[in-house]
Amino acid sequence: MPMTSLLVLRRTLVLGVLLLLSGAANAQTDPLPSWNDGPAKAAIVTFVEKVIRPGSPDFVPVAERIATFDNDGTLWCEQPAPVQLYFAVDRVKALAPQHPEWKTTEPFASLLKGDLATAFAGGDQAILDLFMATHAGMTVVEFEQIVKDWIATAKHPKTGKLFTDMTYQPMLELLGYLRANGFKNFIVSGGGIEFMRPWTEKVYGIPPEQVVGSSIKTKFEMRDGKPVLIRLPELNFNDDKGGKPVGINQHIGRRPIAAFGNSNGDKEMLEYTQGGGGARFMLLVLHDDAVREYAYGPAKGLPDVKLGAFTQGLYEQAKRDGWTVVSMKDDWKQIFAAGR
Amino acid sequence: MPMTSLLVLRRTLVLGVLLLLSGAANAQTDPLPSWNDGPAKAAIVTFVEKVIRPGSPDFVPVAERIATFDNDGTLWCEQPAPVQLYFAVDRVKALAPQHPEWKTTEPFASLLKGDLATAFAGGDQAILDLFMATHAGMTVVEFEQIVKDWIATAKHPKTGKLFTDMTYQPMLELLGYLRANGFKNFIVSGGGIEFMRPWTEKVYGIPPEQVVGSSIKTKFEMRDGKPVLIRLPELNFNDDKGGKPVGINQHIGRRPIAAFGNSNGDKEMLEYTQGGGGARFMLLVLHDDAVREYAYGPAKGLPDVKLGAFTQGLYEQAKRDGWTVVSMKDDWKQIFAAGR
């Protein structure tokens, strides 16, 4: 081997060492750049580092690193009303020509006149009627396409941004940080499972099989010789409050070690997560930034769709039980998704 | 650098090349050694190779490589009765001291006398009563432990082998072959989801979140200050026949590109799989080996628990629609799991 080869070899080795060092440096760059330094960010990083460190008393094998996330108000904006409600209202408008009876039937008549307050005066029944009329009666594949078409262009009434651009940048970073550390992230939302699945992979990196949500019944049948699933106007599962642990057990079959929510609808999911053995992490997002997003405890705004409120009682429970409460105002440098 | 170092370096390089070559050779060893060469094995390999080859018109991205497997009679032996039935009967024996009323109530009275024929003369209702009495009334965590304890020692009445050793070696190889090629394998069984999850990861390499099955309802509650899920004696979902596509959509949210079954209970799952666009693979296991396992079309044996039969009609449909039918007698070199 001539001297030049040796030099090449030495340069290669030096380069290799430099690459290794640079990799180590990269690993130390901040995985949560949109989070201000503070107790919330520190609690997240401390938890992740202790469960991934081999030999740590808190070590958790990769297969058991299950994290569950509420969607509305936790991963994206739910004000002035949950996105799925705008979808339902737009569907009423699109379907109205085929339903002349809606001109004299609530909540449709008021919705078509733009009078949301009257439309939702009917409470839960009005909302149920609205959802069954707009979410059932087609195949699963047809509904998926309807959602895809709608979400591609639907915009927030106040900001004019696409709804999918009103996802929270700090939470997107958190999803990525957990994923990079061997976690499997699941959405566990009171929203419709089939309303979320068409876009969660693109927007959150969460595939359809990791989405848990409320659902209506479906029925298998052969239609014109083709096997299809028909969506029926009948509630199958309400994935909210005590339904969240039930949905988690049904879909995942393991208890999460970390759970993220923002309202009383997430309380049982957080309690259930904390109830397991070993290291656990529970977090609530507090909407306290009226300038950059919305400030709300008990749900406000029109229409009043009974958003699960972040009540004082939940706040006391979070403090008592060591849950992390994120102040959007103080803990987040940036609210909405960047670079979209 | 002295000459000896150069020699060491050269030896290291040669070794590296040899290791690389040996890796390539390994990749070409038979991934399905317990399958005899023949049309069934060839069909499997042809399908997998065409969907994984980049640029192939049949290429399927990794995220969409979903395969679903029936369990009883497809991955493990279901004769003379499904394993879960032996579990239920053993639970009746264990719980009998707490249930004096069972001495005079069917199906329990006959079960306790060992008279299975009379016990199951009550048909579906008898089986439902048996399952509700033995599968409900405890927490999800308690039930998981009961199943784990039972499956660790429970043995087949004829062979005396552990039930978990009566899994099919060719199917274990198939699960591994698909997994190695980027597939995500799901169990989609008429059996109880919580009866399977405690052992499917160890036995099949399939984690709890990839198990779909029948279920009873559960309810979240705080018990002595601890959050628990209580199993209720009420059917939640029957994951059989038309329920299989429904369960697949509910849990996975994608249509499988490959599905594996052995009876009329799997018909709709196979039809649903075939109904999607692009390359698809449907397979039925035919139990035609009375010497090494069992030979049955319509279910035989005692107790008659109405195993979904592999009927002549299903056989005709398989031939007509290009599904692969595996003859256990001709296609499998070895039936049961090796090296356990």
Side-chain angles (χ1 to χ4, degrees):
Chain A
M1 191 180 272
M3 197 59 194
T4 47
S5 297
L6 276 179
L7 284 174
V8 167
L9 179 70
R10 187 178 296 173
R11 275 207 295 271
T12 307
L13 285 172
V14 168
L15 190 67
V17 170
L18 284 175
L19 281 171
L20 280 173
L21 289 174
S22 121
N26 274 339
Q28 281 166 16
T29 57
D30 186 351
L32 301 170
S34 298
W35 291 71
N36 287 316
D37 289 329
K41 181 175 181 173
I44 293 168
V45 173
T46 300
F47 170 76
V48 170
E49 290 186 348
K50 75 181 176 186
V51 300
I52 67 168
R53 193 169 52 241
S56 152
D58 295 309
F59 178 76
V60 176
V62 166
E64 293 167 26
R65 293 183 201 157
I66 303 290
T68 56
F69 291 81
D70 171 57
N71 184 39
D72 295 315
T74 298
L75 295 179
W76 74 354
C77 181
E78 65 177 350
Q79 290 284 6
V83 177
Q84 196 172 355
L85 196 72
Y86 292 103
F87 169 73
V89 171
D90 282 355
R91 291 306 299 157
V92 167
K93 291 176 189 161
L95 294 167
Q98 299 158 47
H99 292 274
E101 77 279 11
W102 283 356
K103 282 182 191 148
T104 52
T105 322
E106 291 296 354
F108 310 102
S110 295
L111 278 181
L112 289 169
K113 285 181 233 152
D115 178 1
L116 302 185
T118 305
F120 293 111
D124 287 350
Q125 189 58 49
I127 291 174
L128 198 65
D129 290 348
L130 170 63
F131 275 76
M132 292 310 165
T134 53
H135 285 61
M138 70 293 282
T139 70
V140 161
V141 171
E142 287 163 353
F143 185 72
E144 180 184 356
Q145 193 59 50
I146 290 168
V147 173
K148 276 186 179 168
D149 291 345
W150 184 82
I151 202 86
T153 61
K155 294 192 172 79
H156 189 270
K158 186 175 151 189
T159 65
K161 295 167 89 161
L162 288 174
F163 284 117
T164 49
D165 287 347
M166 293 189 65
T167 47
Y168 303 135
Q169 178 63 25
M171 296 304 284
L172 297 180
E173 292 167 6
L174 179 55
L175 288 169
Y177 175 51
L178 291 175
R179 198 181 299 119
N181 284 291
F183 281 74
K184 201 181 249 191
N185 298 324
F186 288 79
I187 289 176
V188 178
S189 167
I193 190 167
E194 303 293 8
F195 175 71
M196 297 182 283
R197 281 174 163 164
W199 49 269
T200 54
E201 186 150 33
K202 187 174 161 199
V203 173
Y204 299 134
I206 296 180
E209 62 268 30
Q210 288 163 227
V211 178
V212 183
S214 297
S215 56
I216 59 177
K217 288 194 192 293
T218 63
K219 182 177 180 296
F220 175 85
E221 63 178 54
M222 298 299 288
R223 187 172 272 192
D224 304 327
K226 292 267 187 190
V228 294
L229 290 171
I230 305 291
R231 293 171 57 82
L232 306 178
E234 188 185 344
L235 188 68
N236 178 57
F237 183 65
N238 182 13
D239 190 46
D240 199 29
K241 301 193 170 71
K244 290 205 175 193
V246 170
I248 287 169
N249 183 61
Q250 183 69 22
H251 280 257
I252 311 176
R254 305 192 207 249
R255 200 184 284 238
I257 64 166
F260 304 82
N262 78 308
S263 81
N264 283 33
D266 303 312
K267 177 169 120 56
E268 289 82 357
M269 174 170 75
L270 273 67
E271 289 172 343
Y272 182 64
T273 299
Q274 186 162 33
R280 301 281 151 168
F281 188 77
M282 287 65 57
L283 182 148
L284 282 166
V285 175
L286 180 67
H287 293 263
D288 59 356
D289 193 329
V291 177
R292 296 184 300 169
E293 203 230 14
Y294 292 89
Y296 57 104
K300 285 175 185 164
L302 273 177
D304 173 13
V305 288
K306 304 195 176 174
L307 291 178
F310 188 151
T311 59
Q312 189 62 26
L314 187 64
Y315 193 64
E316 299 298 329
Q317 180 172 359
K319 280 195 292 188
R320 191 178 66 237
D321 293 345
W323 301 354
T324 295
V325 176
V326 166
S327 159
M328 290 176 76
K329 186 159 58 72
D330 298 333
D331 288 314
W332 288 0
K333 266 184 210 148
Q334 177 181 338
I335 303 279
F336 294 117
R340 283 178 177 277
Chain B
M1 191 180 271
M3 198 59 194
T4 48
S5 297
L6 277 179
L7 285 174
V8 167
L9 179 70
R10 188 178 294 172
R11 274 207 296 271
T12 308
L13 285 172
V14 168
L15 191 66
V17 169
L18 285 175
L19 282 171
L20 280 173
L21 289 174
S22 120
N26 274 340
Q28 281 166 16
T29 57
D30 186 351
L32 301 170
S34 298
W35 292 71
N36 287 316
D37 288 330
K41 181 175 182 173
I44 293 168
V45 173
T46 300
F47 170 74
V48 170
E49 290 186 349
K50 75 182 175 185
V51 299
I52 66 169
R53 192 169 52 243
S56 151
D58 295 309
F59 178 76
V60 177
V62 166
E64 293 167 25
R65 292 182 201 158
I66 303 290
T68 56
F69 291 81
D70 171 57
N71 184 40
D72 295 314
T74 298
L75 295 179
W76 74 353
C77 182
E78 65 177 350
Q79 291 284 4
V83 177
Q84 196 171 354
L85 195 73
Y86 292 103
F87 169 74
V89 171
D90 282 356
R91 292 304 301 155
V92 167
K93 291 175 188 161
L95 294 167
Q98 300 158 45
H99 291 275
E101 77 279 11
W102 284 356
K103 282 181 191 150
T104 53
T105 322
E106 291 297 354
F108 311 101
S110 295
L111 278 181
L112 290 169
K113 284 181 232 152
D115 178 3
L116 302 185
T118 305
F120 294 111
D124 287 350
Q125 189 58 50
I127 291 174
L128 197 66
D129 290 348
L130 170 64
F131 275 76
M132 292 308 165
T134 53
H135 285 62
M138 69 292 281
T139 70
V140 161
V141 172
E142 288 163 353
F143 185 72
E144 181 183 355
Q145 193 58 51
I146 290 167
V147 173
K148 277 186 178 167
D149 291 345
W150 184 82
I151 202 86
T153 62
K155 294 192 173 79
H156 189 270
K158 184 175 152 189
T159 65
K161 294 167 91 162
L162 288 173
F163 284 118
T164 50
D165 286 348
M166 293 189 65
T167 48
Y168 303 134
Q169 178 64 24
M171 295 305 283
L172 298 179
E173 292 168 7
L174 179 56
L175 289 169
Y177 175 52
L178 291 174
R179 197 181 299 119
N181 284 291
F183 281 75
K184 200 180 250 190
N185 298 324
F186 288 80
I187 288 175
V188 178
S189 167
I193 190 168
E194 304 293 8
F195 175 72
M196 296 182 283
R197 281 174 163 164
W199 49 269
T200 55
E201 187 150 32
K202 187 174 162 199
V203 173
Y204 300 133
I206 295 180
E209 63 267 30
Q210 287 164 227
V211 178
V212 183
S214 297
S215 57
I216 59 177
K217 287 194 191 296
T218 64
K219 183 177 179 296
F220 176 85
E221 63 178 55
M222 298 299 289
R223 186 172 273 192
D224 304 328
K226 292 268 186 189
V228 294
L229 290 171
I230 305 292
R231 293 171 58 82
L232 306 178
E234 189 184 343
L235 187 68
N236 178 59
F237 183 64
N238 183 13
D239 191 47
D240 199 28
K241 301 192 170 72
K244 290 204 174 194
V246 170
I248 287 169
N249 183 60
Q250 182 69 22
H251 280 257
I252 311 176
R254 306 192 206 250
R255 200 185 284 238
I257 64 166
F260 305 83
N262 79 306
S263 80
N264 283 34
D266 303 312
K267 177 169 120 59
E268 289 82 356
M269 173 170 75
L270 273 66
E271 289 171 343
Y272 182 62
T273 299
Q274 186 162 34
R280 302 280 152 167
F281 188 77
M282 288 65 58
L283 181 149
L284 283 165
V285 175
L286 180 67
H287 294 262
D288 59 356
D289 192 329
V291 177
R292 295 184 301 169
E293 203 231 14
Y294 291 89
Y296 58 103
K300 284 176 187 168
L302 274 176
D304 173 12
V305 289
K306 303 193 177 177
L307 293 177
F310 189 150
T311 58
Q312 190 62 27
L314 187 63
Y315 192 65
E316 299 297 329
Q317 180 172 359
K319 280 195 291 186
R320 190 179 66 237
D321 293 345
W323 302 353
T324 294
V325 175
V326 166
S327 159
M328 291 176 76
K329 186 159 58 70
D330 297 333
D331 287 313
W332 289 0
K333 266 184 208 146
Q334 176 181 339
I335 304 280
F336 294 116
R340 284 178 176 274

